[in-house]
Amino acid sequence: DAKTTQPTSMDCAEGRAANLPCNHSTISGNEYVYWYRQIHSQGPQYIIHGLKNNETNEMASLIITEDRKSSTLILPHATLRDTAVYYCIVRVYGGANNLFFGTGTRLTVIP
Amino acid sequence: NAGVTQTPKFQVLKTGQSMTLQCAQDMNHEYMSWYRQDPGMGLRLIHYSVGAGITDQGEVPNGYNVSRSTTEDFPLRLLSAAPSQTSVYFCASSYDRTLSSGNTIYFGEGSWLTVV
């Protein structure tokens, strides 16, 4: 699976949009971009995933660049409950259902 | 529907002792796995299973054994505990054996293990 690079930490004001970047410059055509988050040592929680089109669900939006070498997770109106570590993971379609986590981005939402 | 259930939640072991972390899911999921998470790091895959009777190693399998005699259960055994195995352990499951577009992996709440 392609390696990803994320900033170590970010802050965001409560109520503002949180934009979390991820670089995956070696991604291949059959690899999806997945985002998970982990709130205070709980089990990781699925957020969203995409292949090449932008995606939106009730939790977030995912913007993938046209060359697919980077993506941005957007939490449109961050709340204090969104404080967590966010992981960007590239996964192979049809590959084993295993996750390979990096160190992620620690997002702190500030009141 | 209880999801993924792990027991115990907390455990302290002495070096050299053995123990089993239990994981059960009631969603009829084929895929189950175990991860460990050390402070400040992401989760690392220990072992996984794509169905009853089938197991395979992940990134960090040494010191651990698994078996999958039923679809529901996937216990993780520490053969001879070492301080380096002090960690938080997460069990996970999903319906599909392999990644398909809409697939979601469900995690348990974690088991905190300290080896002294």
Side-chain angles (χ1 to χ4, degrees):
Chain A
D1 297 350
K3 183 177 172 58
T4 62
T5 304
Q6 300 176 251
T8 302
S9 63
M10 295 181 63
D11 293 338
C12 177
E14 187 178 17
R16 304 295 295 269
N19 296 278
L20 291 87
C22 179
N23 181 288
H24 32 78
S25 58
T26 61
I27 194 170
S28 56
N30 66 340
E31 291 183 312
Y32 284 77
V33 179
Y34 273 71
W35 283 83
Y36 292 81
R37 73 180 182 183
Q38 188 175 24
I39 298 173
H40 191 55
S41 298
Q42 297 178 17
Q45 175 190 25
Y46 165 81
I47 302 173
I48 198 168
H49 72 279
L51 182 62
K52 54 184 178 181
N53 297 320
N54 297 338
E55 302 288 344
T56 296
N57 63 20
E58 64 278 5
M59 290 182 66
S61 295
L62 174 61
I63 308 298
I64 303 175
T65 58
E66 192 169 344
D67 64 7
R68 303 211 319 125
K69 292 185 177 183
S70 65
S71 61
T72 301
L73 177 74
I74 301 172
L75 308 178
H77 304 287
T79 70
L80 299 180
R81 286 191 298 270
D82 292 321
T83 293
V85 178
Y86 288 77
Y87 296 99
C88 168
I89 300 173
V90 170
R91 304 178 64 194
V92 178
Y93 181 84
N97 230 340
N98 302 325
L99 295 173
F100 294 95
F101 292 82
T103 52
T105 296
R106 179 171 297 279
L107 174 70
T108 302
V109 180
I110 302 169
Chain B
N1 186 335
V4 180
T5 303
Q6 293 182 229
T7 55
K9 195 166 181 66
F10 300 97
Q11 182 72 48
V12 178
L13 283 180
K14 292 182 179 179
T15 298
Q17 285 185 318
S18 63
M19 78 156 297
T20 299
L21 297 176
Q22 302 290 344
C23 177
Q25 52 87 12
D26 60 358
M27 299 175 282
N28 200 31
H29 284 176
E30 287 200 88
Y31 171 91
M32 297 185 74
S33 58
W34 277 101
Y35 292 82
R36 62 175 286 175
Q37 185 173 31
D38 300 325
M41 297 182 63
L43 282 70
R44 291 183 293 168
L45 182 68
I46 305 172
H47 286 284
Y48 66 99
S49 167
V50 296
I54 305 169
T55 63
D56 207 344
Q57 296 181 351
E59 298 176 84
V60 288
N62 292 341
Y64 307 95
N65 269 1
V66 292
S67 60
R68 185 92 180 272
S69 56
T70 67
T71 300
E72 295 78 19
D73 300 298
F74 190 46
L76 178 73
R77 280 181 286 276
L78 281 71
L79 308 173
S80 177
S84 60
Q85 293 179 302
T86 294
S87 191
V88 183
Y89 291 84
F90 290 98
C91 180
S93 75
S94 70
Y95 183 75
D96 294 319
R97 294 182 171 199
T98 60
L99 174 64
S100 58
S101 176
N103 168 275
T104 297
I105 294 179
Y106 297 85
F107 285 86
E109 291 301 308
S111 295
W112 273 252
L113 176 66
T114 300
V115 182
V116 297

